[in-house]
Amino acid sequence: EAQVTQNPRYLITVTGKKLTVTCSQNMNHEYMSWYRQDPGLGLRQIYYSMNVEVTDKGDVPEGYKVSRKEKRNFPLILESPSPNQTSLYFCASSPRGYTDTQYFGPGTRLTVL
Amino acid sequence: GQQLNQSPQSMFIQEGEDVSMNCTSSSIFNTWLWYKQDPGEGPVLLIALYKAGELTSNGRLTAQFGITRKDSFLNISASIPSDVGIYFCAGQLAVESNTGKLIFGQGTTLQVKP
């Protein structure tokens, strides 16, 4: 089944404890992107990747890192999480770019205490 | 960052009614996208618009790319209970063409009373 998977789905952590949210797609898509969703703010793009080894900042990249060493995986890394990074995170992928249909993962709800 | 102003924030309507929502900006966009998010799920693309003035339908949904390139509209005709969800507009700024950057509106929460 064609899908985008994220792990974990739920995570409660403490300030400063490094964490990684994994994202994987099995559709051989070139484009992948991370978003955070907060009430009243919609979705905001954190980072995106047009292809392997190519990553660029979105609207709210501060406090986040990403890597794209292989086509299928696009992990989101929080080196030192803070409470303002408590949010619902979505990974998405599309064949070539944002204008293609983006397939979103199920979301990761992160709470930083 | 750049803002997309989406309105209304929420709507509570009767089944069978038509719905309209819009997104506006002070900046020019070269692409507009409309997504729907069901509870507990990620957004799903409904309609994509690529040219000023373009009018595109997807079943009971119709969206338009505004002539000024600073706005877009989504209409839903004869609403049904499964239309419930959050609708987002999204777009790419003209000044950011050839990047993968995408900006989302704040969302319109739609509730339909049977």
Side-chain angles (χ1 to χ4, degrees), chain B residues 58-107:
Chain B
N58 178 3
R60 293 176 296 104
L61 278 62
T62 301
Q64 183 162 26
F65 194 137
I67 289 291
T68 65
R69 298 175 64 192
K70 295 181 179 180
D71 56 13
S72 179
F73 305 86
L74 175 70
N75 295 317
I76 305 173
S77 63
S79 58
I80 59 178
S82 62
D83 289 335
V84 164
I86 305 176
Y87 291 81
F88 291 102
C89 64
Q92 191 190 51
L93 289 165
V95 295
E96 292 178 340
S97 31
N98 299 322
T99 74
K101 293 186 82 169
L102 197 59
I103 301 171
F104 279 75
Q106 303 96 324

Side-chain angles (χ1 to χ4, degrees), chain A residues 9 31 33 35 37-38 40-45 48 50 57-59 88 90 98-107, chain B residues 1-2 9 30-31 33 35 37 40-45 48 50 86 88 92 98-107:
Chain A
R9 294 289 314 279
Y31 178 92
S33 185
Y35 301 89
Q37 183 175 10
D38 301 288
L41 297 177
L43 284 89
R44 292 179 292 169
Q45 192 175 39
Y48 65 93
M50 302 285 269
K57 295 177 181 178
D59 219 24
L88 177 59
F90 286 102
Y98 70 91
T99 55
D100 287 332
T101 296
Q102 284 194 56
Y103 295 83
F104 280 78
Chain B
Q2 292 287 344
Q9 273 192 309
N30 62 8
T31 301
L33 308 168
Y35 286 85
Q37 184 180 28
E41 309 268 337
V44 173
L45 183 66
Y50 303 107
I86 305 176
F88 291 102
Q92 191 190 51
N98 299 322
T99 74
K101 293 186 82 169
L102 197 59
I103 301 171
F104 279 75
Q106 303 96 324

